[in-house]
């Protein structure tokens, strides 16, 4: 994802022809009943790829599952694995699951043919199960809820998780957001409301911005209270300083924003928590590229943050790169903010050519990041704000900072030798694919990076049906006692007595517009 952002690429394309009959629902003239004037979108590759056996599910049940559930299961798996947290260690603890989702596209596909609904249709297509499925598969007994506040859903879900963490109800939370585009009706509906960009671009804060571009994708974070993270010596990518939500109240129309309500939210968060506006490195805005929404957002940012700064506050929007992932968009913005702080580099916000004439950027002390910015480190942790607004008036904002500094001991004492390289999977083909991925990574890594990857490969990981082991020599041909051939590569694998998925590990893991599915084995389930 960061490579895409750094290169300033826009991944928006159009809805693939295999989703539905595009010609049936498209018309170039705005306002044509039953038609949309745009099918521009950010889309996922291989949306339906999924291996149900990995999660202990039957193929019949998986066939009825909303792709949103499939995407989130894979992301949660990878998030936990990246965080090096075994799910077996979470059993019996109050681990909460908070997901932002609103799409019912997959269920709407069956409305046209009620006879197609089977015994797993309801559990496969209701929004509540989007979060509950994660709790069920990984055996998590804490709160489990799906939040739908439209475009602010995922940040509102994060705020709910933060409240539970701060209250001591839980000390670990899985927070995510997901969106898919599987039915033409929402395109038609948003087109009738003139919300979609006619040119197929999100021109955030630009004078030619005339609507947004729909997109699909998923994001998952694993959050832990700082005291628990220190105790477990968890790696951290960022620290959440504050979060908050409010509502626009009564406006001239339910889909019209209230700049005063947005400013009140920012004021409650920044002034209420004693946050110095000069520490804010940038704000990742909602920035859909609409005539009404952009001016309201920039006014609130400038009034509360810009007015209290010496230098203009940089703002931008990841929607200019990948489109608007709707309920997941807030966490995509947060992902961009974390990557920017981690890499000391704020990518440019694309398609900003002419400043919006209804926004007084200079007077509000706000500047759009039309060009990338190097983020310099100082004595104090840098902060970043993330905005997300729902079209029903639900506003959310989160402030993050750099993580706590890594101790000098960890920096000066990298993983020592003697670790065993371990790779495991449920099938020979998926093991072979995993080993090829490792081989590619090792070929482009330094010796120190290879030692770290070898050490991480076997740490807190569940051993699956097939595995290979090698003592600190990942580039050698792998052999074990079984000496059974694996595929056509000459690799050898060892059978393990445990084939049921029992746990994966991770702090948080994020995937972007082009979601890579099924590193642990792919099977296309329609």
């Amino acid at each position: 994802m960061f490579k895409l952002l750094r290169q300033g690429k826009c991944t928006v394309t159009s809805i693939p022809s295999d989703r539905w009959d595009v010609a049936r629902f498209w018309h170039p003239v705005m306002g044509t009943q039953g038609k949309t004037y745009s099918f521009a979108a950010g889309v996922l590759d291989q949306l339906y790829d999924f291996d149900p056996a990995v999660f202990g599910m039957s193929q019949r049940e998986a066939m009825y599952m909303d792709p949103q559930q499939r995407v989130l299961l894979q992301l949660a798996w990878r998030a936990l694995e990246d965080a090096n947290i075994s799910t077996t260690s979470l059993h019996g603890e109050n681990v909460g699951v908070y997901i932002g989702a609103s799409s019912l596209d997959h269920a709407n596909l069956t409305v046209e043919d009620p006879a197609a609904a089977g015994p797993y249709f309801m559990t496969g297509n209701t929004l509540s199960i989007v979060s509950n499925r994660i709790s069920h598969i990984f055996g998590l007994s804490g709160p489990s809820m799906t939040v739908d506040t439209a475009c602010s859903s995922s940040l509102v879900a994060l705020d709910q998780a933060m409240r539970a963490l701060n209250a001591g109800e839980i000390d670990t939370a899985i927070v995510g957001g997901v969106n898919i585009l599987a039915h033409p009706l929402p395109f038609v509906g948003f087109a009738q409301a003139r919300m979609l960009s006619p040119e197929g671009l999100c021109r955030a804060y630009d004078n030619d911005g005339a609507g947004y571009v729909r997109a699909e994708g998923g994001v998952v974070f694993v959050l832990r209270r700082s005291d628990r993270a220190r105790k477990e010596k968890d790696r951290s990518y960022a620290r959440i300083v504050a979060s908050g939500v409010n509502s626009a109240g009564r406006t001239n129309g339910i889909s019209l924003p209230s700049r005063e309500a947005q400013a009140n939210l920012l004021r409650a968060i920044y002034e209420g928590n004693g946050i110095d506006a000069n520490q804010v490195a940038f704000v990742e805005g909602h920035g859909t590229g609409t005539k009404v929404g952009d001016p309201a957002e920039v006014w609130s940012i400038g009034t509360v943050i810009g007015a209290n700064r010496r230098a203009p506050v940089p703002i931008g929007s990841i929607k200019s790169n990948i489109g608007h992932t709707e309920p997941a968009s807030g966490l995509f913005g947060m992902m961009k903010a974390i990557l920017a702080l981690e890499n000391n580099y704020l990518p440019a916000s694309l398609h900003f050519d002419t400043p919006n004439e209804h926004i007084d950027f200079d007077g509000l002390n706000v500047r759009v990041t039309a060009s990338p910015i190097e983020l310099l480190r100082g004595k104090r942790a840098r902060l970043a704000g993330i905005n997300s607004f729902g079209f029903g008036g639900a506003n959310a904002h989160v402030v993050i900072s750099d993580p706590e500094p890594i101790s000098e001991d960890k920096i000066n004492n990298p993983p020592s030798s003697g670790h065993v390289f371990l790779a495991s999977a449920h099938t020979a083909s998926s093991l072979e694919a995993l080993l090829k991925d490792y081989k590619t990574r090792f070929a482009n890594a330094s010796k120190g990076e290879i030692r770290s990857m070898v050490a991480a490969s076997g740490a807190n990981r569940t051993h699956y049906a097939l595995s290979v082991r090698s003592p600190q020599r990942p580039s050698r041909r792998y052999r074990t006692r079984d000496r059974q051939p694996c595929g056509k590569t000459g690799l050898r694998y060892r059978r393990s007595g445990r084939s049921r998925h029992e746990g994966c590990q991770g702090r948080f893991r994020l995937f972007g517009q082009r979601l890579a599915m099924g590193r642990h084995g792919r099977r296309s389930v329609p």
Side-chain angles (χ1 to χ4, degrees), residues 36-58:
T36 177
Y37 51 84
S38 176
F39 276 124
V43 296
L44 295 175
D45 293 329
Q46 300 168 321
L47 178 63
Y48 293 97
D49 275 13
F50 184 69
D51 188 348
V54 171
F55 300 98
M57 301 174 61
S58 69

Side-chain angles (χ1 to χ4, degrees), residues 447-486:
K447 290 183 178 180
E449 291 171 334
I450 290 176
R451 283 196 295 269
S452 296
M453 284 189 281
V454 169
S457 69
N460 293 335
R461 293 176 184 256
T462 300
H463 305 332
Y464 303 112
L466 305 176
S467 64
V468 293
R469 303 167 186 260
S470 177
Q472 193 70 337
R473 295 295 300 276
S475 60
R476 297 180 59 184
R477 173 176 287 187
Y478 305 102
R479 296 176 183 274
T480 59
R481 287 169 294 193
D482 288 42
R483 300 184 67 81
Q484 300 181 51
C486 177

Side-chain angles (χ1 to χ4, degrees), residues 98-114:
Y98 303 83
I99 302 297
S102 60
S103 172
L104 294 171
D105 282 14
H106 189 257
N108 288 336
L109 291 173
T110 309
V111 171
E112 301 167 7
D113 183 13

Side-chain angles (χ1 to χ4, degrees), residues 93-99 131-132 134-136 140-146 160-161 163-165 168-175:
E93 295 191 18
N94 286 326
V95 179
V97 178
Y98 303 83
I99 302 297
S131 53
N132 298 164
I134 296 173
S135 300
H136 170 73
L140 309 177
S141 56
S144 183
M145 64 185 72
T146 304
Q160 290 296 308
R163 292 172 187 269
L165 288 164
E169 297 174 8
I170 58 175
D171 60 14
T172 303
I174 295 174
V175 180

Side-chain angles (χ1 to χ4, degrees), residues 277-283 309 312-314 341 346 373 375 382-384:
N278 288 293
Q279 276 188 263
V280 179
F282 60 90
V283 172
R309 286 172 55 91
V313 55
L341 292 177
L346 179 59
I373 299 174
L375 300 176
R382 300 163 300 179
L383 304 179

Side-chain angles (χ1 to χ4, degrees), residues 373-390:
I373 299 174
E374 182 181 358
L375 300 176
L376 302 177
R377 290 184 179 271
K379 295 181 179 180
R380 297 191 296 177
R382 300 163 300 179
L383 304 179
I386 302 97
N387 262 343
S388 192
F389 309 131

